Each structure stands twice: as C-alpha cells, then as structure tokens.
C-alpha cells in the first residue's frame, strides 16, 4: 500500500508502513523529518536508497522526554544516558522488528555506528550550517536536535535544502554575543571554545550565541532544557529535583580538553 508524509511544504510518497512509523514518531515529539539520498550509506545498509532523518524542533521532544520520566522515574535514576535511552525506546515501540530492508542509527554517544548527522541533516533539508556550529532551521532556528536516521531500501524523493536563514541576517548577533570569540563569520572554532571553557565559567550551562539568534526564538528551549544540554551534571540534578526523583547518577559533561 502507498502512503505519504508531509515534509515541510512537500508531500513525500512512501509505503503505508513507513508513513505510519513517521507519524507515530511525530506523536512522540520527533516533529521534524527530512529525507536524504541514501546512496552514500550503503556500507551501513546494503542497497540503501533513502535516509529518513528525525529531529526534535523546539521543546516538543523535551516535553515528551520529561513526561516519560515523570511516569517512570527509573528511566532517569537507572540510566546513565536517559535521553538517548528514551529515543531508543521510542524506536523500539514504533518499529520493534525491522526487516533487513531498513536500519536505525541513533545520534548518540552510545550508538554502535558513527554517522555525520550534521551532514545528514543538511542533506535531508533540516537545516543549514550556521556560525554557531549548529544547523539552523528556517522555522526552529538553532533549536533543532537531530536524533536518529532510518536507512531504507525504499526509494523516496529527497527533501531539498531550505533557504539559508543566516543569509538575510545582517547584524549577526551570535558573533557579538560569544565571550570567547569562537563564533566567527567563517564558522565556529571548537578549539577556541574548548580553551575558553577550561579557563572561564561565563559559558557554563549556557550558549550565549544560541540564545540571541533571532530565528525561531519562539521555539527557544526552556532554561532547564538548555542547562541539561549544556551542563549535563547540573542539568540532571535540576531535572531530578523538579520531578522529585532520587537520582544518584551523575550526568556526563563534555571533557573540553578532548575537544582541543
């Protein structure tokens, strides 16, 4: 049977089975979907034709994650990587027994395979490169979190790249807001950013450049969500406190010396 999925302003034709998977994931907070040519990913899946990329835009995915922990506190207290594990459970729920014609890969530290999700996100039309080092989406701005890709042997129409939001931004407030000077017109310097983090606390738990971006500002993460993603140890403590959960595990902050 043939189904379809609305991606941005386009309708992508696909089998009913794939359409139902995409719809079910959207209801779990994966509200951004894009399709890329899968020809370059055949080392991961033989005869791969298409790559369906899923992302959280804004706060929807975070709200589903928090609701899951509220209902099942052990999903925080018993997991070292609770958000990654939440994503994994969502995949398992919508596609418990994937056939050999498709394969899931998560964008996570614990993933068994590495995929360049920045490149994949661009190819799927989920954003363009920004000076901040993150993809910028025309509607959600810098508040997009790539989560997983579904590789499939089904040939789907790729979703084109959207207009670059930074092209019409003349003031570039993200460059001026960065205390370290790591954000430049040429892009984000990971070495400069990492060095600054090791000597200063001005950016601990916050990305000033990300916060001042005018694109998609209505979709900006909550203070707790932003903290969780930027300072995992403190963010996890605050999340447990807000939900009244006893959590003795520590979050894993970036080891900035490894980034230099």
């Amino acid at each position: 049977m043939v189904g379809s999925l609305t991606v941005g302003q386009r309708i992508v034709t696909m089998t009913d089975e794939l359409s139902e998977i995409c719809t079910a994931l959207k209801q779990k907070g994966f509200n951004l979907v894009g399709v890329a040519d899968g020809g370059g990913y055949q080392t991961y899946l033989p005869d791969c034709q298409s790559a369906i990329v899923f992302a959280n835009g804004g706060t929807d995915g975070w709200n589903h994650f928090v609701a899951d922990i509220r209902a099942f506190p052990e999903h925080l207290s018993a997991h070292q990587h609770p958000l990654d594990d939440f994503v994994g459970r969502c995949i398992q729920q919508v596609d418990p027994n994937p056939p050999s014609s498709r394969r899931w890969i998560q964008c996570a530290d614990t993933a068994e395979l590495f995929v360049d999700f920045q490149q994949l996100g661009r190819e799927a039309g989920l954003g363009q490169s920004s000076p901040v080092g993150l993809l910028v989406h025309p509607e959600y701005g810098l508040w997009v979190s790539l989560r997983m890709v579904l590789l499939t042997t089904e040939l789907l129409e790729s979703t084109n790249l959207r207009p670059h939001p930074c092209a019409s931004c003349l003031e570039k407030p993200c460059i001026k807001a960065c205390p370290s000077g790591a954000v430049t017109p040429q892009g984000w310097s990971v070495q400069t950013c990492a060095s600054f983090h090791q000597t200063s606390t001005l950016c601990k738990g916050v990305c000033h450049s990300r916060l001042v971006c005018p694109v998609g500002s209505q979709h900006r993460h909550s203070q707790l969500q932003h903290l969780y993603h930027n300072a995992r140890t403190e963010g996890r403590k605050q999340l447990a406190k807000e939900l009244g959960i006893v959590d003795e595990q520590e979050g894993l902050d970036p080891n900035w010396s490894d980034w230099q």
Side-chain angles (χ1 to χ4, degrees):
M1 298 293 290
V2 177
S4 64
L5 178 72
T6 301
V7 180
Q9 296 180 343
R10 303 178 62 179
I11 297 178
V12 177
T13 301
M14 58 180 63
T15 61
D16 276 344
E17 187 176 25
L18 283 184
S19 178
E20 289 170 2
I21 288 173
C22 294
T23 299
L25 284 173
K26 184 175 182 180
Q27 294 171 351
K28 294 178 180 294
F30 303 93
N31 53 342
L32 289 181
V33 183
V35 181
D37 186 333
Y41 301 94
Q42 294 187 0
T43 55
Y44 302 111
L45 178 71
D47 197 31
C48 180
Q49 298 297 314
S50 305
I52 309 175
V53 188
F54 297 86
N56 303 134
T59 61
D60 198 28
W62 173 263
N63 292 339
H64 280 79
F65 168 59
V66 172
D68 178 77
I69 292 176
R70 196 185 301 274
F72 304 98
E74 66 275 12
H75 286 174
L76 177 67
S77 60
H79 292 260
Q80 184 66 62
H81 301 280
L83 183 52
D84 292 342
D85 293 341
F86 168 74
V87 174
R89 286 194 301 275
C90 289
I91 294 174
Q92 178 66 23
Q93 289 165 4
V94 303
D95 194 18
N97 298 296
S100 59
S101 59
R102 58 179 182 257
R103 184 176 190 177
W104 293 91
I105 302 176
Q106 282 187 238
C107 180
D109 292 336
T110 56
E112 60 179 8
L113 296 172
F114 171 78
V115 173
D116 186 342
F117 270 85
Q118 285 262 339
Q119 176 181 327
L120 193 52
R122 289 192 297 270
E123 293 173 351
L126 293 181
Q128 302 272 17
S129 298
S130 74
V132 183
L134 301 169
L135 293 187
V136 57
H137 185 274
E139 178 182 353
Y140 289 93
L142 297 172
W143 309 103
V144 173
S145 302
L146 300 170
R147 294 302 179 199
M148 66 277 210
V149 59
L150 174 57
L151 303 179
T152 175
T153 58
E154 185 175 331
L155 181 60
L156 306 175
E157 181 183 3
S158 298
T159 49
N160 295 333
L161 289 175
R162 305 170 189 229
H164 202 311
C166 298
S168 59
C169 182
L170 301 179
E171 295 187 1
K172 300 289 190 296
C174 59
I175 296 176
K176 301 174 184 177
C178 180
S180 70
V183 180
T184 72
Q186 291 72 41
W188 175 57
S189 170
V190 60
Q191 292 83 7
T192 301
C193 183
S195 296
F196 189 79
H197 271 278
Q198 292 184 80
T199 59
S200 173
T201 59
L202 281 176
C203 296
K204 183 175 177 59
V206 62
C207 176
H208 301 284
S209 294
R210 195 176 185 185
L211 288 173
V212 300
C213 177
V215 183
S217 58
Q218 69 272 29
H219 299 293
R220 184 178 296 150
H221 291 173
S222 66
Q223 184 176 356
L224 176 56
Q225 183 179 1
H226 192 62
L227 178 65
Y228 184 91
H229 289 305
N230 287 276
R232 191 66 51 79
T233 299
E234 183 60 30
R236 181 168 181 146
K237 289 179 180 177
Q238 289 295 325
L239 178 59
K241 181 179 179 180
E242 181 173 296
L243 299 181
I245 297 173
V246 177
D247 178 29
E248 297 181 355
Q249 297 205 46
E250 292 188 2
L252 299 176
D253 289 331
N255 186 353
W256 291 106
S257 61
D258 291 342
W259 290 48
Q260 292 184 291

